[in-house]
Amino acid sequence: MAETTVGVGGAAESTDMVLNIGPQHPATHGVLRLRLVLDGERISHAEPVIGYMHRGAEKLFEARDYRQIIVLANRHDWLSAFANELGVVLAVERMLGMEVPERAVWLRTLLAELNRALNHLMFLGSYPLELGGLTPIFYAFTERESLQQVMEEVSGGRMHYMFNRVGGLKDELPAGWTGRAREAVAAVRGRLGRFDDLLLGNEVFRARTRGVGVLGREAVHAYGVSGPIARASGVDFDLRRDEPYLAYGELGDVLRVETREAGDCLARFEVLLAQTRNALDLADACLDRLAELPPGPVNQRLPKVLKAPEGATYAWTENPLGINGYYLVSKGEKTPYRLKLRSASFNNIQALGELLPGTLVSDMVAILGSFFFVVGDIDK
């Protein structure tokens, strides 16, 4: 088969065109490159080319102690920083056999769900923007700011919170914070209907997403796809329900695992919107439980030099974008011998190689945007 990077005039009739989308392109959410082979306007082959943002975080983990690795862990998916920190400290605590105070467990669950809503709101606003809808991004950032203010007040950070610690959390809540958090959650919940009105009831949006980019269950299992993308294809799996951690085991009456059967772009967006609503419900349930708990510590006292015992463990969490896994190996030193990170976006994006062939170039942007990935989470 003859290939050329540009097909012009008569040459285009007999050769395939190779088109590079990215690594700097508005559709790629960052420095991701898609190498597409086109047959006319239809994609015949697609290859995600990654690595442009690789910073070697896993190797850097080996040169930092167990307190310092948190600052690296919260950056690969910059929209889910709190959840990223959480997975690392859960793995270290499991190695240490450490029990975390009950108050810290519920606070972690609350902040993880607020972080989930923040993550989803970004994609609820940016995805329509890629399809030509300008208005939703302004609403999304308005709602994000309401939640961002309470997250910033409690942690001191807007994106990289650095609020988790091995053994609990950095500090107790500021005075009156729970009341302000309730107000923010109620305000965002009351305005989420805008996305139903603007998008789910919009004929143009539905035409661009319904039946487009259908991902089957077999591909989900084959590529290890997880999170909202997998559940939109009918794969009913969520670690918060199926292997509960933190306080999720006590929130079964509030937690709803949203699934769809269509597996298309519209289904992925619907799951994301439904999960945002449920994250706010879970946050309210955590606030209710915190109000019932007696005052108490939010962390454990740690030795000046923290060393994990020799051995290995694996912890995984249901991050906003899917399953994150942390394989920790210790030689008994103050730094990890190995900390392997399994990020959600890395697996999810691999399915594009199977999904994009056969689709039109005009649908590629709609499909790519519906995969809700962060490039730093792919490259680590």
Side-chain angles (χ1 to χ4, degrees):
M1 179 186 294
E3 292 188 0
T4 181
T5 53
V6 180
V8 181
E13 298 175 4
S14 59
T15 62
D16 290 331
M17 175 180 179
V18 178
L19 179 67
N20 283 295
I21 305 294
Q24 295 286 0
H25 190 279
T28 60
H29 296 225
V31 279
L32 171 73
R33 175 182 164 209
L34 282 178
R35 184 179 179 275
L36 307 178
V37 179
L38 306 182
D39 180 7
E41 294 187 25
R42 200 167 292 276
I43 299 169
S44 59
H45 179 77
E47 178 190 359
V49 182
I50 65 174
Y52 292 94
M53 286 189 65
H54 181 60
R55 292 159 292 166
E58 291 179 354
K59 195 64 182 174
L60 291 172
F61 287 151
E62 299 171 15
R64 306 292 190 277
D65 67 33
Y66 288 105
R67 293 179 175 90
Q68 294 169 329
I69 58 176
I70 299 171
V71 76
L72 296 169
N74 68 15
R75 279 167 162 74
H76 56 89
D77 173 5
W78 44 80
L79 296 177
S80 310
F82 186 87
N84 298 339
E85 299 171 11
L86 187 59
V88 169
V89 296
L90 288 175
V92 178
E93 287 162 4
R94 182 174 293 180
M95 285 286 285
L96 293 168
M98 181 180 290
E99 288 290 330
V100 176
E102 185 180 15
R103 186 169 177 79
V105 171
W106 282 96
L107 272 173
R108 281 177 170 179
T109 311
L110 165 62
L111 295 172
E113 290 306 312
L114 291 177
N115 193 193
R116 191 181 309 276
L118 276 168
N119 174 290
H120 291 355
L121 280 166
M122 174 61 81
F123 290 108
L124 291 174
S126 65
Y127 183 48
L129 185 65
E130 294 169 4
L131 300 180
L134 184 62
T135 307
I137 190 72
F138 296 110
Y139 288 131
F141 268 85
T142 300
E143 311 315 330
R144 274 176 56 83
E145 193 59 34
S146 299
L147 298 177
Q148 199 75 68
Q149 284 176 357
V150 294
M151 291 291 283
E152 183 177 6
E153 182 186 359
V154 74
S155 67
R158 283 185 63 83
M159 288 189 69
H160 306 306
Y161 303 109
M162 281 299 295
F163 197 56
N164 277 290
R165 293 291 186 274
V166 176
L169 295 168
K170 176 185 174 185
D171 286 315
E172 181 54 89
L173 300 175
W177 183 86
T178 54
R180 292 186 287 278
R182 281 187 186 278
E183 292 172 4
V185 168
V188 173
R189 181 189 290 110
R191 296 191 293 258
L192 277 182
R194 292 168 168 174
F195 293 95
D196 293 287
D197 299 337
L198 283 170
L199 299 168
L200 295 184
N202 186 302
E203 292 182 10
V204 176
F205 182 81
R206 296 182 77 86
R208 291 294 308 276
T209 56
R210 179 185 278 176
V212 175
V214 177
L215 183 68
R217 291 191 190 190
E218 297 78 12
V220 168
H221 293 307
Y223 288 93
V225 175
S226 60
I229 303 171
R231 290 191 282 275
S233 296
V235 178
D236 188 6
F237 182 70
D238 190 313
L239 284 176
R240 296 174 296 169
R241 178 198 64 195
D242 300 324
E243 287 197 21
Y245 58 99
L246 295 182
Y248 289 115
E250 300 180 49
L251 292 169
D253 55 338
V254 182
L255 175 62
R256 298 188 307 276
V257 179
E258 297 288 343
T259 60
R260 298 291 187 276
E261 294 297 325
D264 57 9
C265 295
L266 180 60
R268 292 190 276 273
F269 186 85
E270 288 176 343
V271 168
L272 206 70
L273 181 56
Q275 281 192 177
T276 307
R277 288 192 166 95
N278 189 229
L280 297 176
D281 293 341
L282 288 166
D284 268 340
C286 291
L287 285 165
D288 291 341
R289 183 58 187 269
L290 283 167
E292 299 169 358
L293 291 177
V298 294
N299 49 39
Q300 297 273 29
R301 290 183 63 86
L302 299 176
K304 187 173 182 179
V305 178
L306 181 64
K307 295 183 178 181
E310 188 170 347
T313 191
Y314 184 75
W316 56 347
T317 59
E318 188 68 45
N319 268 39
L321 298 182
I323 293 174
N324 270 25
Y326 305 85
Y327 179 60
L328 174 63
V329 181
S330 171
K331 294 290 188 181
E333 302 296 330
K334 65 179 182 179
T335 62
Y337 177 75
R338 181 81 167 93
L339 180 52
K340 174 70 176 76
L341 171 61
R342 187 265 192 218
S343 60
S345 296
F346 179 83
N347 282 69
N348 292 353
I349 206 70
Q350 307 306 319
L352 288 172
E354 179 169 321
L355 182 60
L356 286 176
T359 63
L360 296 171
V361 177
S362 57
D363 289 331
M364 183 273 300
V365 175
I367 296 169
L368 191 63
S370 73
F371 266 62
F372 311 131
F373 60 88
V374 172
V375 176
D377 201 40
I378 302 170
D379 289 350
K380 302 191 287 289

